Amino acid sequence: NIGGWVSTIAYIYAPYMLFDSIARGASSEFAALAILPFVIYGFTRLAHYGQRIDFAFTVFAYAIFIPLHTLITLHGTAFLAIYCLFLWHTSSNPLRTFLQLLTAGALAFLITAFFWMPAILETDAIKLHLITDRLDHIDVTRHLRPLSDILARPHIADPTQQNQTIPITLSWVQIILSVIGFVLIWRDGRTVYRKLMMFFSMVIIALVFLNTPSSSWLWQNIPLMSYTQFPWRVLGIASLALALTTGISIWHIWSKLPHFWSKSATFSVFITLIAIYSIPWTYALYWDNVDLNDIRDVQNFERRTG
């Protein structure tokens, strides 16, 4: 539906997703964030319908997600656990929903135990703590930022800089659209969408809080969190939650319009605003007059130039 298409576009054009794929080139992290919506879709269908195909899809999607990126697996699993509690709490058949969600998650974990079990059980043997002890620049608490940085405006491209500082932030367009939709849905009293908007809004607020200096104690004392290295990594999941609230909001506004043309115009305007806002994150300094014919030339060029 319209909400799904808008959420997809909002997620693709989320500033963090463009930063992750273009500026950082973090292909494994980007792949994990790309698979996460399918995992959410699977758990949602399993909670609502509980069919065998839904169970199989959920296990399959989650089992693919887990090995892609260790830290996104950690963050995504925490988010999915909370989301599954939400699905269980709002289900018309709590016992069936609880058992199916738990079984699907446990089966995916067993299938991928070869990947996550050493990371959990052998941290002392591989001296994982030395990463943060020896490399001060990836200490989580050193990268906590004020709220003004987390909600920074788009940057202006500067072609005179080879590595321009890029804001790691959320989209103001999506935030504004989500707030408008939240108000309208709350006023209209649609209980299901109220609960969804409230849940995802709380997720966004919590993840933004984890990027501020006030969250320092949590990063230092909750097990495994310190290995995140950079707190802004959780903005990937915040971007997904914000994309979903944006999609729900625009769908709600779209559904209240009377005519096809007004619906089409509104949809086009909102999508254009989302995309245009994120264009500055697509800028990168390009190399000119480089003779690259295949992947081997690319790899040799990267080795030669750094």
Side-chain angles (χ1 to χ4, degrees), residues 1-8 243-244 246-251 254 267:
N1 59 28
I2 292 297
W5 281 107
V6 172
S7 294
T8 301
L244 291 169
T246 303
I248 295 171
S249 299
I250 293 182
W251 173 84
W254 183 87
F267 175 79

Side-chain angles (χ1 to χ4, degrees), residues 21-139:
S21 58
I22 297 175
R24 294 186 67 217
S27 56
S28 59
E29 181 175 328
F30 184 76
L33 291 171
I35 292 295
L36 184 57
F38 294 93
V39 185
I40 294 173
Y41 174 72
F43 277 110
T44 304
R45 283 193 60 89
L46 186 59
H48 288 171
Y49 305 110
Q51 301 297 316
R52 291 180 180 178
I53 187 65
D54 302 321
F55 183 86
F57 178 85
T58 303
V59 174
F60 181 71
Y62 194 25
I64 290 176
F65 169 76
I66 290 174
L68 288 175
H69 191 277
T70 308
L71 296 174
I72 301 302
T73 296
L74 179 65
H75 301 156
T77 297
F79 167 69
L80 288 168
I82 297 171
Y83 181 61
C84 286
L85 288 175
F86 169 78
L87 292 173
W88 167 71
H89 177 70
T90 56
S91 173
S92 58
N93 189 342
L95 180 60
R96 189 270 300 171
T97 300
F98 176 79
L99 291 176
Q100 286 191 323
L101 295 178
L102 180 63
T103 304
L107 185 56
F109 261 98
L110 289 174
I111 292 172
T112 57
F114 70 93
F115 173 79
W116 60 264
M117 189 174 289
I120 300 296
L121 300 182
E122 299 176 5
T123 54
D124 292 336
I126 62 175
K127 302 188 183 302
L128 188 60
H129 64 279
L130 291 181
I131 295 176
T132 52
D133 291 347
R134 300 288 178 87
L135 303 176
D136 293 340
H137 67 282
I138 60 173
D139 180 7

Side-chain angles (χ1 to χ4, degrees), residues 15 17 40 52 68 72 94 173 175 180 190 199 202 240 249:
M17 297 299 285
I40 294 173
R52 291 180 180 178
L68 288 175
I72 301 302
V173 169
I175 292 173
I180 293 172
R190 296 194 176 189
F199 173 79
M202 291 176 65
L240 176 55
S249 299

